[in-house]
Amino acid sequence: MSDDKSADKPDLQWRILGGLIGLAVGFASRKVLGFAWEKTTGKKPPASADSPDISLGEAVAYAVVMGLGMEVARIVATRTAAKKWRSWKNAAAKDAL
């Protein structure tokens, strides 16, 4: 196997760490966004955006806020962690020489 192909594939450690970061950020951002929704609207976040008990506008707004907020949080956290991971890997490679 050539070095070019293996350099393009994320290693197993990063894939595991990236998955754990994604789970943690998803959980935390859902809690933060739910709290912000409640403080902003004065209502608890809907249990399900599909529920006929809430208006279509509220359901769409909630879906947009949660989807956008969670994805932005995931991207920022994953990119930050990836940069840190690369710097650790590069430092370890230099120390090994």
Side-chain angles (χ1 to χ4, degrees), residues 30-88:
R30 188 170 198 59
K31 292 290 185 184
V32 168
L33 291 167
F35 177 78
W37 179 269
E38 190 169 348
K39 290 297 177 189
T40 303
T41 65
K43 301 180 199 174
K44 290 199 177 266
S48 171
D50 297 334
S51 174
D53 296 334
I54 61 173
S55 70
L56 178 61
E58 184 178 359
V60 169
Y62 181 73
V64 168
V65 167
M66 291 303 279
L68 183 63
M70 289 180 68
E71 188 62 15
V72 167
R74 186 196 62 80
I75 289 170
V76 169
T78 303
R79 290 176 60 99
T80 302
K83 286 180 184 178
K84 191 66 169 171
W85 180 261
R86 275 190 224 115
S87 71
W88 286 338

Side-chain angles (χ1 to χ4, degrees), residues 13-35:
Q13 293 170 332
W14 170 247
R15 289 184 5 215
I16 292 169
L17 182 61
L20 292 174
I21 289 169
L23 287 172
V25 168
F27 177 79
S29 61
R30 188 170 198 59
K31 292 290 185 184
V32 168
L33 291 167
F35 177 78

Side-chain angles (χ1 to χ4, degrees), residues 3-11:
D3 289 333
D4 291 337
K5 287 184 181 178
S6 64
D8 291 341
K9 292 183 181 179
D11 60 5

